[in-house]
Amino acid sequence: PDLAAFESLVRGHAPKFFYGIPNSQNPSGRTYSEGKRRAVAEILEGTDTVFYEDDAFGELFFDGKPRPPVKRHLPKQTVISGSFSKIVAPGMRIGWIYAPAPVLRQFNVAKQAADLHSNFLCQVILHRYLATHDLDAHVARVSAVYGRHCRLMCDLLDDLMPPGTTHTNPEGGMFMTAALPDGVSSMEVFREGVHEGVAVLPGVPFYVDGGGEDTIRLNFSAAGEEEIAEGMHRLARVVRKLA
């Protein structure tokens, strides 16, 4: 985050909580540096602001080295959560949360009001999987595959896209963001992409201030390398047509 702007907002508005994704943020794929983790914690320390640390992608680093959570530097004000849907199976909509006891009690009340409890069958399946399989080995294999896919997608963006196209370079996770050349609309790329048989997500829904018109989110986790290559060639044709 922009630390100066972040500190100004915290001091000026005293928000109840700050939601952040320090690891492989969705949609950009960016990761906080260790310095920014410490700085965020220092800005929040002693305030009434709770930091909600969404760590759904925290184990999916391509180098196999998870980054220390912000909670390590701000233990009394941080709520951290993760998801097994990102590391076991997409349909496994089971997550976990670690929070101070008073906060956790309020979460339990809110969850009971929302859906009573998490899917019991999925919990039993997940328990059996964790008891009989090496989760760390599985995550390592998945992360290595995602890393190859990400590097391939980055290389193809550099090779195929028209001048003015830029992109993030994720260290982990499932997503990256590409910025389009001047004058190219992400919504137009989305619509033309459908006709070419390639799907991207316009950046607009990820912004609260009307931004994102010139950005698209790309996913490198779902498709194989041949599909990624074909998809990027189709996407390049779309962007070149609109540029």
Side-chain angles (χ1 to χ4, degrees):
D2 181 328
L3 293 175
F6 176 59
E7 184 169 15
S8 176
L9 288 170
V10 171
R11 305 297 182 221
H13 297 277
K16 293 296 184 182
F17 77 95
F18 166 59
Y19 172 88
I21 310 176
N23 294 323
S24 308
Q25 190 260 357
N26 178 13
S28 70
R30 291 192 176 100
T31 292
Y32 289 14
S33 66
E34 177 59 20
K36 286 202 171 183
R37 292 169 195 263
R38 291 180 180 274
V40 166
E42 289 172 1
I43 291 169
L44 292 176
E45 189 172 15
T47 70
D48 292 327
T49 302
V50 172
F51 178 39
Y52 191 106
E53 185 171 7
D54 185 345
D55 200 32
F57 307 102
E59 296 187 67
L60 296 175
F61 279 102
F62 307 148
D63 62 7
K65 300 175 182 178
R67 279 46 168 180
V70 174
K71 183 173 178 62
R72 180 179 182 181
H73 307 298
L74 193 70
K76 295 181 180 180
Q77 288 174 240
T78 303
V79 174
I80 186 170
S81 66
S83 173
F84 288 101
S85 69
K86 303 299 188 290
I87 59 174
V88 175
M92 191 64 66
R93 312 307 289 182
I94 302 293
W96 56 266
I97 187 168
Y98 181 66
V103 175
L104 198 56
R105 283 195 292 271
Q106 295 301 316
F107 265 100
N108 286 337
V109 171
K111 180 165 179 56
Q112 288 169 6
D115 63 4
L116 296 183
H117 59 76
S118 298
N119 184 306
F120 184 72
L121 177 59
C122 280
Q123 291 184 71
V124 173
I125 294 171
L126 179 61
H127 177 269
R128 177 65 63 87
Y129 175 83
L130 295 176
T132 58
H133 292 75
D134 186 338
L135 179 62
D136 290 339
H138 170 71
V139 169
R141 288 193 297 270
V142 170
S143 299
V145 171
Y146 289 176
R148 291 197 301 272
H149 289 184
C150 180
R151 288 188 292 272
L152 173 61
M153 187 171 283
C154 287
D155 289 344
L156 290 169
L157 282 168
D158 293 337
D159 293 342
L160 301 175
M161 290 295 180
T165 306
T166 61
H167 60 84
T168 55
N169 289 281
E171 300 172 39
M174 301 178 172
F175 306 107
M176 71 170 66
T177 294
L180 302 167
D182 289 344
V184 178
S185 162
S186 62
M187 292 303 298
E188 284 297 315
V189 170
F190 169 72
R191 284 189 282 266
E192 290 293 328
V194 171
H195 296 304
E196 283 284 345
V198 60
V200 299
L201 192 60
V204 175
F206 296 103
Y207 287 75
V208 298
D209 59 358
E213 177 60 29
D214 62 346
T215 65
I216 54 175
R217 189 190 75 172
L218 302 172
N219 176 289
F220 49 79
S221 66
E225 293 183 17
E226 291 185 4
E227 291 176 301
I228 289 174
E230 177 62 27
M232 296 308 293
H233 278 84
R234 295 185 186 190
L235 179 60
R237 288 198 296 270
V238 169
V239 177
R240 288 186 176 279
K241 176 182 176 181
L242 296 172

